[in-house]
Amino acid sequence: MKDLKSLHSYIESLELATLDSAIIPEGAARRTKAAPKDNKESANVSANSVVSFTKDLPEQLRADVLNSTLFAQLAATAKHDPETDPKGWYQLYNEVLNNIGWNFPSWDFSKVQTSSQGFEISKEVIKLIKKVDVSAAGMMSAVLDSLSADGNEDAANLFDSVSNPKQDANFQIGPCAYSGSNVVMTSACMFFKATEHVHRFLWFTWKDQSTELWGSARKAELVDDVYARVRDQIIQKLGDRAEKYVMDIDLGDFGSKLAKHTDKLEEMTA
């Protein structure tokens, strides 16, 4: 762990990208500090990530997850093209997260075996998360269902425009839960290679044999005592990026969706 002076210098030295491809609606607004959500589940698009939170997660920790992961994304994008250099991108993404308070394992750059008859990326991601944590998979499955609905076009457009501006896609899916002191994220870090650009790529059925999906899922923990030392500096350095590149996802009747998706996954596991 870096000493505090070195850590502040490290954060200050990082360049943060401006996301020119991002489609930002006029109504896009999200606070960088904690905002009450009345002990409800919540979820956000954060640039090229989709992140969800269980209802017991304190609001400050939800804000910390969004700010810290956005910061790491923007630092990685400033140095590495997320489409043409995904390995370099994820190496720096992991480095930044580990330096500012996350215990984030190295990304396993492995090819995901998909059906030759066609596959849907959202379902493949849920399969990866399910291997690590069935509850987290149920949560995120319901969130992605909500994100694909008509009422979340703005959030889906923001995610699409940043993660998949051309043919290939670089994105993260992270359901978060509360350990009692820290945030635990079941993080799926993904890269998708294709020969065409498709709107709503997560829910499209891909049949082209040249398409490839790479990634893995693993547990990561944000240590609150460590991140608290740099929280204000990261908020200050993000500036209005934390407003522009993060949007709430309207979860609707989330209780019913969560029960349906969790039951389905448990049936698959039994």
Side-chain angles (χ1 to χ4, degrees):
M1 182 187 299
K2 295 178 183 289
D3 63 74
L4 189 56
K5 183 177 180 181
S6 297
L7 184 54
H8 283 313
S9 296
Y10 170 78
I11 291 170
E12 191 57 37
S13 71
L14 292 170
E15 179 185 354
L16 300 186
T18 297
L19 303 178
D20 294 332
S21 68
I23 298 176
I24 304 167
E26 291 185 6
R30 168 253 162 187
R31 291 161 289 278
T32 57
K33 296 186 181 294
K37 289 191 171 60
D38 300 322
N39 296 318
K40 293 181 179 179
E41 294 92 348
S42 64
N44 297 81
V45 164
S46 175
N48 60 335
S49 294
V50 178
V51 185
S52 68
F53 304 100
T54 54
K55 62 184 177 182
D56 59 339
L57 256 168
E59 298 303 328
Q60 182 62 67
L61 297 185
R62 302 187 199 204
D64 290 346
V65 169
L66 292 170
N67 290 331
S68 61
T69 54
L70 178 62
F71 183 79
Q73 288 179 61
L74 297 178
T77 300
K79 292 291 186 182
H80 301 278
D81 188 305
E83 290 187 272
T84 61
D85 185 17
K87 281 192 175 183
W89 193 96
Y90 273 112
Q91 286 172 356
L92 184 54
Y93 175 74
N94 282 10
E95 174 196 300
V96 173
L97 289 175
N98 281 315
N99 276 324
I100 64 177
W102 283 88
N103 290 326
F104 218 90
S106 297
W107 187 61
D108 178 16
F109 213 75
S110 301
K111 188 175 180 180
V112 178
Q113 297 302 311
T114 55
S115 172
S116 60
Q117 303 301 311
F119 65 95
E120 187 176 304
I121 294 177
S122 64
K123 293 179 180 177
E124 297 300 325
V125 173
I126 295 302
K127 288 179 186 177
L128 290 177
I129 295 173
K130 179 171 150 299
K131 292 178 181 178
V132 180
D133 190 318
V134 174
S135 295
M139 176 79 175
M140 185 50 70
S141 182
V143 168
L144 293 181
D145 187 10
S146 297
L147 181 58
S148 68
D150 291 342
N152 281 306
E153 294 96 338
D154 287 344
N157 284 339
L158 174 61
F159 174 73
D160 266 15
S161 64
V162 179
S163 61
N164 182 222
K166 298 178 183 177
Q167 290 97 339
D168 301 340
N170 179 323
F171 63 99
Q172 303 81 51
I173 306 292
C176 296
Y178 190 39
S179 71
S181 55
N182 295 320
V183 180
V184 176
M185 176 190 286
T186 306
S187 177
C189 291
M190 311 298 299
F191 176 70
F192 178 67
K193 192 170 184 61
T195 57
E196 62 178 320
H197 181 264
V198 174
H199 188 59
R200 299 291 185 270
F201 72 97
L202 280 183
W203 301 280
F204 180 75
T205 300
W206 294 90
K207 295 183 179 180
D208 188 335
Q209 297 300 304
S210 64
T211 57
E212 297 178 357
L213 181 63
W214 297 72
S216 65
R218 66 269 201 268
K219 293 279 190 181
E221 183 179 30
L222 178 59
V223 182
D224 183 47
D225 289 346
V226 177
Y227 182 74
R229 304 184 306 160
V230 298
R231 177 184 289 126
D232 291 340
Q233 185 185 8
I234 286 177
I235 290 173
Q236 182 178 15
K237 189 158 178 106
L238 281 172
D240 66 354
R241 297 177 184 87
E243 302 289 334
K244 294 194 298 184
Y245 301 146
V246 180
M247 284 197 67
D248 289 343
I249 298 172
D250 183 355
L251 297 179
D253 182 8
F254 191 70
S256 298
K257 290 180 184 177
L258 180 60
K260 180 184 73 173
H261 285 271
T262 300
D263 288 346
K264 184 177 181 179
L265 287 172
E266 288 177 348
E267 289 174 4
M268 294 168 58
T269 304

